Amino acid sequence: MRPAHCSPADARFLTRVRPARVQCRADMQGGCAMDTALYQLNSEKMKNLNIRSVFECVLKNSLITRRELSQLTGLTLASITNITSALIAAGYIVETAGAPSGGGRRPLYLSVAPACHYIIGLELRTDRLIGVLTDFTARCLWSEETELDCAEGPAMTLGHIGRFVDRALDATGIARERVLGIGLVSAGPYDYEKERMLSPPNFPGWEDVEITRMVREKTGIPTYFEKDAVGAGLAEAFFGKAAKAGSVFCLLANFVGIGGGFIVNSHAYRGCTGVSCEVGHMIIDLAGERCNCGNYGCLEAMASKKKLLRDAVYALKCGESSMLAARLTDFDELTLDMLLDAVEQGDALARRVADRYCGYVGVGLVNIITLYNPETVVLAGEVFRRSPYIREKLLALANERAYPKSTADTVIEAASFAELQGAFGGAALILRHFADTLEV
């Protein structure tokens, strides 16, 4: 029995510690056998950890030599040689001869075998499904965007996903059994233990939906789920601008809200209950508007894309001068593209609305950098992608207002994959799972 104050993790540690006792010869012999078994277990575990570390280094540093792998991982050159030989034999990596050097042997480079496996990455939004089919190096072989309405319910959406996967395989000629997995990213909250979407906002009727089981049974392909902001961060950590960074925070702004994902050493930080980094519900205005969560002054209540459009429409209806007024017969038909075009063209109304948006998002960004101190912050989502003015404004606010020691080495970047950011996050999720369970 563990002490009452012990956590389950503490208890697991305590069970591994053999109590001290007076040893007779038989006890000593039994102890030796137990120590030998424990050593073998730990040795096997360490071997697998080293294999996974080497594979991930090759994945992130294509065309890398064994000597460079030794320097990056801290493993001996002999260990690197043994591990890479096993990975080559298993078909996961390949060896390529480099250009002739100054007179010595040609260097041999290692890279992931592109055709070893294939991966499908999907992003499910309220109104569309965006997906990619990639090879094992995440090179996109096929992509598509399909309109749908998640309000139709999980069953109808599942049909869209099944047909999407069929089209991807038909278009590329890849056999279903060669697909390593489907990585699905969508809105949270999500119960990782029970694999259920827990009534995400703007997904009416999606209560306790076992989405991974449903997709797995529909397609016959192993399926894994991640929240959209975390998926966007994984895409950067594996394939994007943060591939060499030890930590990356992804700030994702979509139409209805703002989310965050913190990636440390290419692994998602989820917190003790799986709901970490819900930055959209960070309180930034005590007297602010009511949020969908029931609280007041949440970041996403004050600065979602929906709020950005609403503020602009209100200003137009109040008669404020703007180039947008001449383009619209009905102000309610204002689109995000129209508003952001006006921002980039210097329209006074559009920029005032954008400045207000940046003020709130900037406070959130400063808080994120101060709390997490990441090497890289990635701004993902249509607003950040489409508006250099907003990106520059946020960068200036972060440099001006953040705690100096927090921002000294933090790089703020726009996301790398535009509309496919989430889908590539799904692909990264599959590679993350593969690397975490790899044995040869």
Side-chain angles (χ1 to χ4, degrees):
M1 179 181 296
R2 73 172 190 262
H5 64 275
C6 262
S7 71
D10 293 332
R12 285 195 296 273
F13 172 75
L14 288 172
T15 59
R16 293 197 295 268
V17 180
R18 189 168 64 245
R21 59 180 179 176
V22 178
Q23 291 187 335
C24 64
R25 183 172 298 172
D27 285 337
M28 293 176 67
Q29 291 171 345
C32 288
M34 183 180 292
D35 287 341
T36 300
L38 186 61
Y39 171 79
Q40 291 172 343
L41 176 64
N42 288 337
S43 177
E44 188 66 22
K45 183 179 291 188
M46 185 58 67
K47 172 190 170 186
N48 288 330
L49 287 174
N50 289 339
I51 289 170
R52 294 162 192 171
S53 176
V54 169
F55 173 79
E56 194 165 332
C57 276
V58 175
L59 177 66
K60 288 189 170 187
N61 300 273
S62 187
L63 296 180
I64 188 171
T65 67
R66 289 173 173 81
R67 188 168 299 279
E68 290 168 336
L69 278 174
S70 177
Q71 293 168 350
L72 283 173
T73 62
L75 297 173
T76 66
L77 198 54
S79 294
I80 291 294
T81 298
N82 291 335
I83 291 171
T84 54
S85 295
L87 289 170
I88 290 171
Y92 298 139
I93 66 175
V94 292
E95 192 174 53
T96 307
S101 57
R105 295 176 56 189
R106 293 203 300 175
L108 296 175
Y109 293 101
L110 299 167
S111 59
V112 170
C116 175
H117 289 295
Y118 297 91
I119 299 167
I120 293 175
L122 300 175
E123 181 186 10
L124 176 62
R125 301 183 186 176
T126 56
D127 62 346
R128 69 193 67 186
L129 181 68
I130 303 171
V132 296
L133 188 151
T134 77
D135 64 16
F136 206 39
T137 65
R139 181 172 63 93
C140 184
L141 305 178
W142 184 86
S143 66
E144 184 180 279
E145 180 176 325
T146 302
E147 292 186 359
L148 51 77
D149 183 2
C150 282
E152 294 176 342
M156 291 290 289
T157 302
L158 186 65
H160 283 290
I161 292 174
R163 291 188 292 275
F164 188 99
V165 171
D166 290 342
R167 289 195 299 276
L169 298 179
D170 289 344
T172 57
I174 293 168
R176 191 173 298 261
E177 58 271 17
R178 298 203 63 197
V179 177
L180 182 63
I182 296 173
L184 175 66
V185 304
S186 191
Y190 185 77
D191 186 326
Y192 291 94
E193 186 175 335
K194 296 180 180 178
E195 298 186 335
R196 292 177 179 175
M197 294 177 76
L198 303 176
S199 304
N202 301 288
F203 281 68
W206 289 64
E207 299 176 5
D208 294 335
V209 175
E210 297 178 81
I211 188 68
T212 53
R213 177 189 60 80
M214 293 168 64
V215 174
R216 188 162 54 239
E217 291 177 357
K218 179 72 174 178
T219 63
I221 299 171
T223 303
Y224 301 90
F225 181 95
E226 188 53 87
K227 292 188 291 186
D228 47 11
V230 177
L234 284 171
E236 290 298 329
F238 271 85
F239 322 122
K241 297 166 185 171
K244 302 296 175 66
S247 59
V248 54
F249 196 102
C250 180
L251 183 65
L252 173 67
N254 56 34
F255 188 73
V256 295
I258 295 177
F262 190 35
I263 314 299
V264 182
N265 294 327
S266 302
H267 287 81
Y269 173 76
R270 296 199 179 104
C272 62
T273 59
V275 292
S276 69
C277 305
E278 290 287 350
V279 295
H281 299 290
M282 178 194 310
I283 306 299
I284 58 169
D285 187 344
L286 291 174
E289 297 183 22
R290 185 180 176 89
C291 180
N292 288 334
C293 73
N295 214 331
Y296 292 86
C298 293
L299 176 58
E300 69 178 45
M302 308 305 295
S304 68
K305 287 193 281 188
K306 185 186 292 187
K307 178 70 164 55
L308 185 63
L309 283 174
R310 194 164 70 237
D311 286 350
V313 169
Y314 178 79
L316 287 167
K317 288 181 176 180
C318 288
E320 292 191 35
S321 176
S322 170
M323 67 173 63
L324 293 168
R327 299 178 183 177
L328 293 163
T329 55
D330 182 352
F331 293 148
D332 288 324
E333 293 180 354
L334 178 67
T335 66
L336 185 64
D337 282 344
M338 294 168 65
L339 177 59
L340 294 180
D341 284 342
V343 168
E344 297 308 312
Q345 292 177 49
D347 181 77
L349 181 152
R351 287 209 168 176
R352 181 177 58 77
V353 171
D355 289 347
R356 184 172 185 272
Y357 172 88
C358 288
Y360 286 122
V361 176
V363 170
L365 182 59
V366 166
N367 290 342
I368 288 166
I369 294 171
T370 303
L371 286 169
Y372 292 97
N373 189 216
E375 289 183 47
T376 303
V377 173
V378 172
L379 303 177
E382 193 174 0
V383 173
F384 303 143
R385 178 171 59 86
R386 289 270 288 105
S387 178
Y389 175 85
I390 288 177
R391 289 201 307 271
E392 292 301 319
K393 193 81 174 178
L394 289 174
L395 183 60
L397 281 167
N399 289 329
E400 176 187 343
R401 301 297 298 275
Y403 181 55
K405 291 183 179 179
S406 297
T407 56
D409 297 314
T410 296
V411 178
I412 302 176
E413 300 270 15
S416 301
F417 303 106
E419 278 294 292
L420 297 177
Q421 187 78 23
F424 273 105
L429 176 62
I430 297 303
L431 283 169
R432 172 73 281 151
H433 184 269
F434 176 82
D436 283 343
T437 56
L438 175 60
E439 297 181 6
V440 293

